[in-house]
Amino acid sequence: MDIKKKDIRALTKEQLRDFFVIEGDQAFRGNQVYEWLWSKGAHSFEDMTNVSKETREMLKSNFVINHIKVDQIQKSSDGTIKNAVRLHDGLIVESVLIPAKNRTTACVSSQVGCSLDCRFCATSRLKRMRNLNPDEIYDQVVVIDKESRLYHNRPLSNIVFMGMGEPLMNYNNVLKAIDKITSPEGLAMSPKRIVVSTSGVPKMIKKMADDEVKFKLAVSLHSAIDEIRTSIMPFNATFPLADLREALEYWYEKTKNRITYEYIVWDGINDTKNDVEALIKFCKFAPSKVNLIEYNPIDDGEFQQANSKAIDMYVDMLEANNITVTVRRSRGKDIDAACGQLANKA
Ligand code: SF4
């Protein structure tokens, strides 16, 4: 690893073209190298076979290519695959391939550790060490796309930012990664197949609306009652539900995109009729749907999934109020790859 040299993939195509012109070469060389880096996924300058040896040496003396490395792959009995991904500075994050009948979803990380402190989440035990850069996010997706083709005979179809970290606390890099994922020079995926899932940072939700992003928004809500939400997601004391609601109304007004609420029902925490009524009221502020997610206890077992009677009550009451609700089974439990379980334990 050479920490003094810049990662060449941090340069835009224009910057790369300018670099070649300054070096006394021609601008089109920048396009050629850019294509190698992104469309062809070159891992080293040696791979760039239509670039002269002299130019490759020149690039090598100026830049590095900091590709991620998959340190360990774990396969679940249900087809889920968890990658422990080593970054150029030795830190590790995790990403997950989740297969379903007609789709493959990549669940990717946006930070090493997390800035927030959700009490039910294994990642919150790891303090935030740094944000991932756009390439490190993009590479996780490329790796999972390859695994999907190899193990499930189809390309990756969907991406969720639900791995380690709060994506809106690393907004600029997440946006740059999504630009690359959706651009024809990258993976050319539709932004409609990408979901950014946030625990709800109001200021950033409004910024996303102002930026007219095309991907989908999900919010980890888990309670529509301030007191309860603060007890499980302490940052709610700083960003209370009234602020979140205002930001979501703003989001819908600007984008006309429905919001998904991710919601776990825990035994003795949010499993009463009162909790469902509060959720129904919250859902009425902007068109939305609710995903009830199965919970996977993390080692101390303080949070336990509510019983099926409580889940049924949620489903019945939400449906009676014309709110779309889906019950999501968690995948990859046997390899600690399910929601809230990512904690570099491999
Ligand atoms: S649930 Fe998400 S935002 Fe909350 S601590 Fe875990 S990774 Fe961070």
Side-chain angles (χ1 to χ4, degrees):
M1 179 181 73
D2 190 333
I3 50 171
K4 290 192 194 76
K5 290 184 202 166
K6 191 173 180 173
D7 187 342
I8 191 167
R9 294 191 304 163
L11 267 56
T12 62
K13 195 197 270 183
E14 286 63 41
Q15 288 169 329
L16 208 46
R17 286 167 60 89
D18 291 348
F19 170 80
F20 277 102
V21 172
I22 291 164
E23 287 293 315
D25 206 327
Q26 296 178 57
F28 87 92
R29 191 78 64 207
N31 299 2
Q32 239 176 356
V33 171
Y34 194 84
E35 198 186 331
W36 274 109
L37 291 171
W38 295 106
S39 311
K40 298 180 184 165
H43 279 224
S44 80
F45 295 111
E46 275 75 42
D47 292 346
M48 302 178 180
T49 46
N50 64 350
V51 175
S52 74
K53 190 158 186 272
E54 199 188 3
T55 304
R56 280 185 266 148
E57 288 303 323
M58 183 273 286
L59 288 172
K60 233 161 67 177
S61 61
N62 282 282
F63 300 107
V64 287
I65 305 175
N66 284 332
H67 259 282
I68 61 166
K69 290 193 183 72
V70 179
D71 235 28
Q72 193 183 4
I73 298 180
Q74 285 177 279
K75 294 193 189 119
S76 161
S77 52
D78 66 16
T80 301
I81 296 173
K82 181 168 80 170
N83 297 318
V85 166
R86 186 173 293 275
L87 310 172
H88 69 93
D89 53 5
L91 294 172
I92 291 187
V93 292
E94 293 178 338
S95 45
V96 184
L97 175 159
I98 308 156
K101 207 166 161 218
N102 303 316
R103 56 156 76 180
T104 305
T105 302
C107 174
V108 296
S109 293
S110 55
Q111 297 182 308
V112 186
C114 187
S115 332
L116 299 182
D117 49 5
C118 307
R119 287 183 47 226
F120 54 86
C121 167
T123 308
S124 70
R125 314 274 165 89
L126 311 168
K127 71 173 172 43
R128 188 196 78 91
M129 304 187 69
R130 71 171 172 87
N131 287 337
L132 295 192
N133 67 41
D135 314 335
E136 291 166 333
I137 297 169
Y138 178 82
D139 285 353
Q140 292 175 66
V141 176
V142 171
V143 165
I144 292 180
D145 181 44
K146 284 187 184 148
E147 290 174 341
S148 179
R149 290 168 198 267
L150 182 66
Y151 298 110
H152 297 281
N153 297 318
R154 57 178 183 235
L156 174 70
S157 56
N158 297 71
I159 302 171
V160 292
F161 281 79
M162 278 190 199
M164 300 167 111
E166 163 53 61
L168 298 194
M169 294 288 196
N170 184 19
Y171 180 71
N172 289 338
N173 288 352
V174 166
L175 226 57
K176 281 184 194 161
I178 292 176
D179 271 353
K180 204 62 84 182
I181 292 164
T182 52
S183 87
E185 277 151 342
L187 297 175
M189 281 182 74
S190 163
K192 292 195 173 67
R193 294 184 167 271
I194 301 174
V195 178
V196 169
S197 175
T198 173
S199 42
V201 187
K203 193 174 83 187
M204 298 312 296
I205 292 173
K206 284 186 177 169
K207 168 127 184 63
M208 281 196 325
D210 287 338
D211 288 346
E212 295 176 8
V213 298
K214 301 282 181 283
F215 50 78
K216 293 182 177 166
L217 172 66
V219 176
S220 294
L221 191 62
H222 308 309
S223 177
I225 299 172
D226 266 318
E227 202 189 341
I228 296 174
R229 194 165 193 262
T230 302
S231 74
I232 51 182
M233 303 169 85
F235 69 88
N236 187 70
T238 317
F239 308 123
L241 286 163
D243 295 0
L244 177 59
R245 193 188 77 206
E246 194 214 327
L248 293 171
E249 282 175 313
Y250 186 83
W251 161 269
Y252 184 74
E253 238 169 67
K254 284 236 160 178
T255 67
K256 295 286 174 261
N257 276 335
R258 177 165 85 155
I259 302 146
T260 299
Y261 295 122
E262 309 288 358
Y263 201 103
I264 302 172
V265 189
W266 288 286
D267 188 33
I269 292 178
N270 57 354
D271 57 354
T272 68
K273 205 171 158 209
N274 200 24
D275 293 294
V276 197
E277 278 163 357
L279 174 61
I280 290 166
K281 205 166 151 206
F282 198 87
C283 286
K284 299 243 159 115
F285 292 118
S288 51
K289 67 168 189 160
V290 175
N291 281 344
L292 294 177
I293 306 173
E294 186 186 348
Y295 183 63
N296 307 284
I298 50 178
D299 4 57
D300 58 18
E302 191 191 341
F303 288 82
Q304 293 297 335
Q305 160 98 26
N307 61 30
S308 55
K309 240 171 100 186
I311 310 286
D312 290 347
M313 174 181 69
Y314 263 91
V315 172
D316 292 346
M317 287 177 68
L318 287 164
E319 282 180 348
N321 281 275
N322 300 318
I323 297 163
T324 308
V325 54
T326 319
V327 181
R328 283 272 159 91
R329 212 164 52 82
S330 251
R331 311 290 303 268
K333 280 189 263 191
D334 53 340
I335 53 167
D336 284 341
C339 273
Q341 286 189 318
L342 299 184
N344 289 348
K345 280 203 293 188

